[in-house]
Amino acid sequence: MLAVAACAVLAGATSLAAIAEWAADAPGPVLAALGVRRHPLTGAWRPPAEATVRRVLARVDPDALDQVVGAWLARQQPPVLATRPPPAPRRAVAVDGKTLCGSGHHPRLPVHLLAAMDHTSHAVLAQTEVDGKTNEITRFRPLLDRLDLTDTVVTADALHTQREHAQWLVTHKHAAYVLIVKANQPALHRQLKILPWREVPVADHTRDRGHGRVETRRLQVTTIAGLDFPHATQALRITRRVRPLHQLRWRTVTVHAVTSLTAAQASPARLADYVRGHWGIEALHHIRDVTFAEDAHQLRTGTAPRAMASLRNLAIGTLRRHGHRNIAASLRRNARDATRVLPLLGITSP
């Protein structure tokens, strides 16, 4: 049943009804490869109906499903592209949360998920639910605890710039971090803002043009002793200037960050890559919203909302692994031929 659902989502299914419709239209060899049973008397294939799909996904163990999906994606190697830059010295993992807006109705709150994504492959390695009695901060350690983070750089937004997180990452997980700093750490934020940035040269400067806008990024970094944060060795200031192509006015955003990496462990260009790579998890969430219409879908039965989110992570990570950059186009391509989804998941036709 889960294999059928995974293949249907890889073909663009965005709802339980769409999964059942894909299964009903799939040819016999595909159904046989997925383990679908035949009718004992007529021999006709018996693909799962929508009610069966709903019942299974509403009762599946979401933690077990996320663990299996994350482990499978972690074992997959990303494609080697001729234009690919040299590999980073350290693997980087981004942590961020997302609310499934359509999954809530009074008195139930919408499902909120916290995920860890590999910067390079954009594969979701782990995911956990944040219930209404807690928040993302308390789920940070359980999310990352089962991952091997040795010599890994963990990136996160300001919400997770917590002293306990930094101490735990470095001392227990033997990882490094690059964390955004905002007003939730007032002493550290004030310390970073008053540094003599005018005297610090720009160490990395990039300019991108695309998606209807021009964006420049300047990174300044300095090693400073006595930063008011565990294991922090360097302070960063990133200045982003964005201008739509049809406008002349620039919008400037300045962001501060801290890292446990020393100057010898990561060059300014590498630090800029880590900061920019963290935005990839927001791009992943954007794909789930726009391509799979996740926020608009009002699925609220049992664990089905989280299970569908896991299947979307699996689909996006699998397509990325096979070199597909346009996820929407890849889904349309798979929808035209049901046999195309089997090799993506390593399933061979009988």
Side-chain angles (χ1 to χ4, degrees):
M1 179 59 241
L2 291 176
V4 169
C7 289
V9 173
L10 270 168
T14 60
S15 65
L16 303 184
I19 292 175
E21 291 168 0
W22 180 90
D25 291 338
V30 172
L31 297 177
L34 295 176
V36 174
R37 294 176 296 178
R38 288 177 177 267
H39 193 283
L41 298 179
T42 65
W45 295 104
R46 303 176 64 182
E50 180 183 353
T52 304
V53 176
R54 183 178 300 275
R55 185 169 59 253
V56 171
L57 293 186
R59 298 178 182 178
V60 71
D61 184 338
D63 291 325
L65 179 60
D66 275 326
Q67 189 170 356
V68 170
V69 169
W72 188 84
L73 288 174
R75 291 195 300 268
Q76 311 307 309
Q77 294 298 321
V80 179
L81 303 177
T83 59
R84 193 172 191 174
R90 294 170 180 252
R91 183 182 66 159
V93 172
V95 176
D96 195 23
K98 183 184 186 301
T99 299
L100 310 183
C101 296
S103 63
H105 61 94
H106 186 75
R108 175 178 173 175
L109 295 174
V111 175
H112 187 83
L113 303 175
L114 184 65
M117 184 203 76
D118 183 89
H119 278 211
T120 303
S121 65
H122 288 192
V124 174
L125 306 177
Q127 184 172 263
T128 187
E129 185 171 351
V130 180
D131 60 42
K133 298 180 181 179
T134 61
N135 54 38
E136 286 189 21
I137 297 175
T138 60
R139 301 303 297 167
F140 184 86
R141 290 194 194 182
L143 172 74
L144 299 177
D145 192 43
R146 60 176 176 262
L147 297 181
D148 181 8
L149 297 178
T150 303
D151 293 328
T152 297
V153 178
V154 176
T155 64
D157 58 19
L159 177 64
H160 295 291
T161 305
Q162 304 289 332
R163 297 172 183 276
E164 296 80 7
H165 292 354
Q167 185 73 24
W168 179 75
L169 286 172
V170 175
T171 59
H172 292 277
K173 300 300 288 184
H174 308 291
Y177 62 77
V178 177
L179 301 174
I180 303 299
V181 179
K182 291 184 179 179
N184 63 322
Q185 290 289 337
L188 178 61
H189 189 230
R190 183 168 55 252
Q191 187 178 7
L192 295 183
K193 288 185 67 175
I194 65 175
L195 288 175
W197 291 110
R198 292 186 178 183
E199 302 173 13
V200 179
V202 175
D204 185 77
H205 187 192
T206 58
R207 178 184 176 91
D208 292 329
R209 180 188 177 102
H211 302 287
R213 65 182 185 179
V214 177
E215 180 177 0
T216 65
R217 292 179 292 269
R218 295 184 299 172
L219 180 137
Q220 298 165 275
V221 57
T222 181
T223 300
I224 181 171
L227 283 172
D228 187 25
F229 201 72
H231 304 285
T233 59
Q234 295 191 94
L236 292 72
R237 186 170 82 161
I238 305 101
T239 304
R240 298 174 56 201
R241 300 184 70 220
V242 182
R243 176 179 65 82
L245 293 178
H246 61 280
Q247 297 181 12
L248 299 178
R249 186 172 182 177
W250 292 85
R251 180 173 62 89
T252 302
V253 178
T254 301
V255 177
H256 295 89
V258 291
T259 179
S260 61
L261 294 167
T262 65
Q265 291 175 321
S267 65
R270 186 63 64 191
L271 292 174
D273 288 341
Y274 289 142
V275 174
R276 187 163 54 250
H278 179 74
W279 300 334
I281 195 168
E282 298 180 6
L284 171 73
H285 294 162
H286 179 75
I287 291 173
R288 280 168 43 182
D289 284 341
V290 175
T291 304
F292 287 99
E294 185 171 78
D295 277 352
H297 200 281
Q298 297 184 358
L299 180 60
R300 299 164 180 170
T301 306
T303 59
R306 180 175 168 185
M308 285 296 293
S310 302
L311 294 175
R312 292 170 189 132
N313 288 336
L314 174 63
I316 296 169
T318 300
L319 292 173
R320 293 289 192 197
R321 179 176 65 89
H322 285 82
H324 298 278
R325 296 188 177 184
N326 189 324
I327 301 299
S330 301
L331 297 178
R332 292 194 298 269
R333 179 181 182 274
N334 293 338
R336 295 194 296 269
D337 185 351
T339 62
R340 289 172 175 164
V341 299
L342 298 181
L344 296 175
L345 295 176
I347 301 174
T348 56
S349 300

